[in-house]
Each structure stands twice: as C-alpha cells, then as structure tokens.
Amino acid sequence: MDYNAHLDAALGKLHEEGRYRTFIDIERKKGHYPHALWRKEDGSEQPITVWCGNDYLGMGQHPVVLAAMHEALDATGAGSGGTRNISGTTVYHKRLEAELADLHQKEAALLFTSAYIANDATLSTLPKLFPGLIIYSDELNHASMIEGIRRNGGAKRVFKHNDLADLRAKLMADDPAAPKLIAFESVYSMDGDFGPIKELCDLAEEFGALTYLDEVHAVGMYGPRGGGVAERDGLLDRIDIVNGTLGKAFGVHGGYIAASAKMCDAVRSYAPGFIFTTSLPPVVAAGAAASVAHLKTDQALRDLHQERAAVLKLRLKGMGLPIIDHGSHIVPVIVGDPVHTKKLSDMLLSQFGIYVQPINFPTVPRGTERLRFTPSPVHGPKEIDALVSAMDQLWSHCALNRAEMAG
C-alpha cells in the first residue's frame, strides 16, 4: 500500500476543485481588533483587517475580560490540573456555570472544552439516558450536532431546513410512546437565517418531545441580557437543553449546555466527552465568566453590533452584490464558484489588507460558495468604507454578476 499516494490524491482533489484551505499567520494586537498583522512566509508583515472572525463583539480584547484573566493567572497558574472528576474543578468553573445557568434561566449549566464537544458529547449520550430516543434534526444543523446524533446509535430523522410540515409528518409517523427530541439552531451561520423556535416548541409540546437548541451564533448578541434568540423571543422556559459557546461573542474559549439540574448531572455522569477531558484552564473560565456577566448589562454593544451589520448589508446591496439578508448579524456574499471565491479572498488580502476566508463545499452546497463577513462593533465607518470599495473593484475586475439575492 502506497499511503503517501493516497494522501497526495486526497489533497490533490481539494486543489483541483479550488477547495484547499490555507492558514495564514495572524498576530492580533491587544486593543486594536479587528486590526492585526499578517506574517508572510518571506518574513515580511502586512497590516490587515479581520472581517471573518467570530469574536463578534470584540470581547476578546475587552479590559474587563483581560483583567479577570490576569487575576486568575496570577492566582492559579496556567492549567486546570485534570478532568472535572479528578482535580480539574475550581471556583472559576463553578462561577462560570452559575453565570451561564442564570443567563439561560436554567437550574444548571455544564462546561465543555468547546461547543462542538458539548453538542457531540450531549447528543451522543442522550439515548443512554432515554432508551429508544428518536432525534429529529434540522438538515442544516452544525456538524457537531450531526456527528453526535450519528454516533449515538439511536434512531434519527432529518427534516428539511425550517420545514415545520416535514417535521410534523415525521413526528406523526413514529410511535407516540417513543421518547423524542427535536434539535435545531437559533441562527444558522452560513445564511444567517433564524430557526422558527416558537413553532418548533409548539410541535415538541404537541408530540411530547424534548427541545435542544444550539445558540452558538446568538449568545451574547440577542436578548436583553445576551441569552440568545430564545431569550429575545421569551421562549427560554420552553427549551430543555441550550447549547452555547464561549469562543464567539463572549470572546474566550469553551462550550456548554444549560438545562435542568438532573439533565446536567446525568450528562456529566455518562458522557465520555466530558468525563475523560481535562477541564478548561481556570484563567479561561475566569475570563469567560467576566464576559458573560458584562454582556448581561451591555445592551449598547449589542445595538451597535446590529447597526454595523445593517450598514454593511445596505452598502453591499447598494452596489448590487448578491448578499443574503435574513436580518441577523451575518453577511454572506454569494460568489457561486469555489475558484472565484478563493481568488477574491486572496486578492482582498494581498491587495487591500482585508482578511475573509472563502466558504466552500462541504460547508455550503456546491454553487453557493461565498465570502462570509462578520461585522462587529469595532468595525467602524473607515473599515466599512475600505471593504465596500475593495469589493466593488474586485467584483468588476472578476466580471461577476451584480444581481441581488432575496433574503
């Protein structure tokens, strides 16, 4: 067996299709986000503006977060020292879980090293807790949800994206007595559209199903305290399990679920992804707790975030660029070809100092390849002007169509 030949073939396929992903070395400068330095392979540096980061509110640079992390680092050192069950539980972890439980108005919360692991570990564990469980999953759910459901060995039903009629038909076709769970998201990150949370909860109530809501692209940004779209819409009491991240709007690292005390206790006790993983460093937990607490009171930052996103969408629409606008903070511009998408990304970086990664298959369907911009409160008028001007020039240079897409 020529193993290297197989590796060459696999990588070569990505290159041929224009889907090969490259990393660039970025050095963020404290207090200057979204501005950063691109360290090139030849050793030179170029100032850039990051337009595809998930630090949606700039909290990764916020003085409140940094002060909490400095204090915890000086008090405890670097690592946590073990899994939560052995030696990796500290006052910082307990404080963060309390903040998160309060944020989502739940009895408890449970920390994981990422929201991916939180989804995977929880969804793969639930059939152990509810034998015969059937999980109904939106077809555009995160890869972590899909993987957790795939690995759990239980029954699954994939319903068409946000299609309540399709979900109802699948619920009606199954045994009324079987335990059920409906898994969905609040904000779908590639198109920026919202899930019909209320209607999904209505179906769950009608058919006796649990609800599992992924709010990773909404926590911190929506709701009067940053509890997500479910909080904004007054639906927190109808969600059984909330999944969230500490690595996007909260600007730090890690993931979690928030649910009843019994649910969190059961997942904690049965999920290998929790049991056998070293816990978050206390310094990270401290920074995340400070970020969550701060954003419960900083509505002005949320308002500015939405304003910046609205301005960017309006400016891009004004040039006739094919953007998708569902009213969220995510701004996808459809290119429709992987090679062109990669070329635009490369030219934006090298010629204009604008960093945005191409989004290609399998993350999005073929023919919908895109550039996905994530404006934040610290992307001001100067940065928006530079981006709009660059997109205008490159769109014409690449002779791409200017036909606005419906939201």
Side-chain angles (χ1 to χ4, degrees), residues 57-68 95-96 99-100 102-103 219-221 223-227 249-252 285-302 377:
L57 300 177
M59 291 301 293
Q61 307 281 306
H62 199 285
V64 168
V65 175
L66 300 183
R95 183 184 305 161
L96 176 53
E99 287 283 2
L100 293 168
D102 172 73
L103 177 67
V219 289
M221 295 170 280
R225 299 196 309 153
F250 293 125
V252 191
S291 183
V292 173
H294 175 85
L295 285 177
K296 288 176 181 177
T297 63
D298 198 342
Q299 185 59 38
L301 195 61
R302 277 188 283 279

Side-chain angles (χ1 to χ4, degrees), residues 207-222:
F207 288 91
L210 296 169
T211 50
Y212 186 104
L213 173 61
D214 182 310
E215 289 257 37
V216 300
H217 288 281
V219 289
M221 295 170 280
Y222 296 87

